[in-house]
Amino acid sequence: MDISSSAAAALLAATEVLPADWRDLSSVLEQSGGPAALLGSGPVPTSRDGALLAFLRRGITAERVAYWKRCLSLLAEELPSARLLSVTDPDYPSNLRSAYGRPPFIFVAGSILTTDRQSIAVVGSRNASEQGMAAARAIAETAAQQGFTLISGLADGIDSAAHEAALGYGRTIAVVGSGLDNYLRNARNLLAKKISAQGAIVSQFRPGSPATASSYVARNAIISGLSTVSLLVEATERSGTRSEADHAIQQDRTVLLWEPTLGGQEWARRYSLHPRVRMVSSVDEVMAILARAVEEAAP
């Protein structure tokens, strides 16, 4: 979809008038054929999605469409590689499309490939131990060498260590907790620029959106949704990292806990009793589980 088209602008305007969760918009788009339906005036289906489509059409104003069209044009000028993918776009990541709570759109700087379906999320604490950092690097490096895409959140600590290790051998995708432009216009964020050149930066947030406490939790659902398997290297019970695992379970994905750093925590031992969660203690064990999960998830 043309990032500065009226349909793209209407999609962003629709999020301003949604009465509930954004995932409802994903369902409307899939049922109606895409964002262009938001600008239509024809009949709507006699269904719950049809009622929401009619509501959105009444609420989307020409002024807000024009506003978002200007914002998207500025984004395209500033970041020529940026794209807006709606849930009905053929290039929308297949793992994310099948995930519970899939967002109606994502912004992407870089490239999304079909091979990104074979992927692992490696996430963990910002204030990580050297043991945790070393584990993240080893796992990310091995995964990239074996052709898997590394997914993480571009935060300090475990996330950045995993991204940097993967960049030396293959692809990595970073999911951010603010508008795409906020990250890539920051001259200090050289890692983000490297990732966008060799993989992709992904955001579910509209241009200009700042990072907030809840936006990082929402971004964790995209990390897990893009991934076949999620590995928590280092985390506490109430951390944002832990929320990524909760999202992964809700999305029916496999969750791995790194035993050398998490095995001594009571919450992690309890968590490992869930049928979709396993403790792991070696890179080879992680790779074997990942390969099996990718094979089972193949179309």
Side-chain angles (χ1 to χ4, degrees):
M1 177 170 53
D2 181 359
I3 195 171
S4 57
S5 67
S6 295
L11 181 54
L12 300 194
T15 63
E16 298 178 313
V17 294
L18 271 171
D21 196 284
W22 282 24
R23 69 173 180 266
D24 295 333
L25 181 54
S26 297
S27 180
V28 166
L29 295 176
E30 290 172 326
Q31 293 299 316
S32 62
L38 297 168
L39 294 169
S41 58
V44 297
T46 55
S47 65
R48 183 167 55 191
D49 287 329
L52 180 54
L53 175 59
F55 177 86
L56 294 174
R57 285 178 175 177
R58 292 193 299 270
I60 295 171
T61 66
E63 291 76 15
R64 296 310 293 171
V65 171
Y67 169 80
W68 284 114
K69 197 168 184 178
R70 289 194 299 273
C71 291
L72 290 171
S73 294
L74 289 172
L75 178 65
E77 290 176 11
E78 185 177 4
L79 301 171
S81 71
R83 291 186 294 155
L84 174 61
L85 303 179
S86 81
V87 71
T88 56
D89 193 300
D91 291 334
Y92 189 94
S94 59
N95 281 356
L96 190 57
R97 182 182 283 114
S98 67
Y100 172 80
R102 63 207 180 286
F105 59 83
I106 56 172
F107 286 92
V108 177
S111 60
I112 297 291
L113 306 181
T114 56
T115 53
D116 293 330
R117 180 183 61 81
Q118 304 172 13
S119 54
I120 180 170
V122 176
V123 295
S125 173
R126 296 172 188 266
N127 300 312
S129 66
E130 187 49 48
Q131 181 186 19
M133 297 278 279
R137 293 187 191 101
I139 294 162
E141 181 179 308
T142 303
Q145 286 177 322
Q146 295 187 15
F148 297 104
T149 299
L150 187 285
I151 316 288
S152 198
L154 200 57
D156 292 338
I158 296 297
D159 292 15
S160 292
H163 284 306
E164 288 169 348
L167 280 171
Y169 297 91
R171 282 180 56 78
T172 184
I173 294 175
V175 185
V176 298
S178 71
L180 197 65
D181 47 344
N182 284 4
Y183 267 86
L184 292 178
R185 71 161 60 106
N186 186 343
R188 293 184 297 108
N189 206 332
L190 297 178
L191 178 57
K193 291 178 172 59
K194 289 179 182 178
I195 293 171
S196 65
Q198 194 168 320
I201 306 289
V202 171
S203 172
Q204 72 192 100
F205 302 106
R206 296 168 300 205
S209 297
T212 67
S214 63
S215 73
Y216 280 110
V217 175
R219 149 288 222 154
N220 287 342
I222 308 304
I223 294 175
S224 58
L226 286 168
S227 308
T228 312
V229 168
S230 289
L231 170 67
L232 277 64
V233 177
E234 203 164 359
T236 60
E237 183 171 9
R238 299 187 183 279
S239 64
T241 301
R242 160 68 188 273
S243 76
E244 196 275 349
D246 293 337
H247 287 303
I249 289 173
Q250 189 176 41
Q251 294 161 343
D252 202 29
R253 307 290 162 82
T254 297
V255 174
L256 306 179
L257 305 179
W258 188 244
E259 194 276 337
T261 52
L262 295 175
Q265 297 190 39
E266 183 182 353
W267 75 266
R269 293 195 298 272
R270 291 197 314 269
Y271 208 65
S272 67
L273 298 176
H274 190 284
R276 298 212 66 84
V277 181
R278 285 188 57 178
M279 285 277 190
V280 290
S281 57
S282 72
V283 175
D284 288 344
E285 189 177 6
V286 172
M287 291 300 106
I289 294 171
L290 175 58
R292 188 161 57 249
V294 165
E295 183 178 354
E296 291 172 354

